[in-house]
Amino acid sequence: MKRTARMTFQRQERWFEAHRRSIELDEVMYEPFWRVEDVRSSGIKTKIAHFSTPNRVMHLLSQNELWMYLSLVQMRYVVEIYEQFAIPLEFSVPIAKQLGVKHPVYVGSKQVPIVQTIDFVSTLIDGSRIAHPVKQESDSLRERTVEKLAIQQAYCELEHIDYQLVTESE
């Protein structure tokens, strides 16, 4: 479990590199940055089969993520879905600074920034990508959540990924 160990830059970098390799190398099965067993939650977390890759399990951290995943798999133009998609710290830290917001750090650590993740990044049949952060509508209005979503949106703009926030009402 990632959350139980004392956090260091090196440990987090190893996780990120495994995640990134799984995206870049066809012979490596996708590894989400966060898995259901890594995250404390009072809500419903789910592991569910990937819609097209045998033996691949999707790690969904809320009931809203499950509903969004089930919606995405029905879209004929979606050819791949990456859940818990990590934003490299070399992007998110400068973005946070430019936006004038505090980059999230691990609890008990004033210096180890948390790798930010986007709930879903999908690849479409034309090769374009779309990001879908999934939030409760009430949470999406909180100041701190707005700041974190702004980091995600700015990253998507830099990487030419369409960005569409999804709430439970949608």
Side-chain angles (χ1 to χ4, degrees), residues 50-51 56 58 68-69 71-73 75 77-83 85 118-133 156 160-162:
H50 186 268
F51 72 104
R56 180 167 158 210
M58 300 291 292
M68 185 64 202
Y69 174 69
S71 294
L72 289 170
V73 301
M75 298 175 186
Y77 53 86
V78 172
V79 295
E80 182 57 274
I81 303 169
Y82 299 111
E83 80 279 19
F85 184 91
I118 302 171
D119 298 319
F120 297 102
V121 173
S122 301
T123 303
L124 309 183
I125 201 163
D126 66 1
S128 64
R129 295 181 295 169
I130 185 165
H132 290 287
C156 288
H160 309 289
I161 301 171
D162 288 334

Side-chain angles (χ1 to χ4, degrees), residues 24-72:
E24 294 171 352
L25 302 175
D26 289 336
E27 64 273 10
V28 177
M29 185 152 329
Y30 178 70
E31 178 74 28
F33 188 79
W34 294 115
R35 302 168 60 87
V36 297
E37 53 272 0
D38 298 328
V39 179
R40 280 192 193 138
S41 172
S42 59
I44 297 170
K45 301 182 293 184
T46 306
K47 290 182 183 180
I48 189 171
H50 186 268
F51 72 104
S52 67
T53 304
N55 301 318
R56 180 167 158 210
V57 175
M58 300 291 292
H59 291 260
L60 309 176
L61 305 180
S62 70
Q63 189 168 8
N64 286 337
E65 285 187 18
L66 173 60
W67 293 122
M68 185 64 202
Y69 174 69
L70 294 174
S71 294
L72 289 170

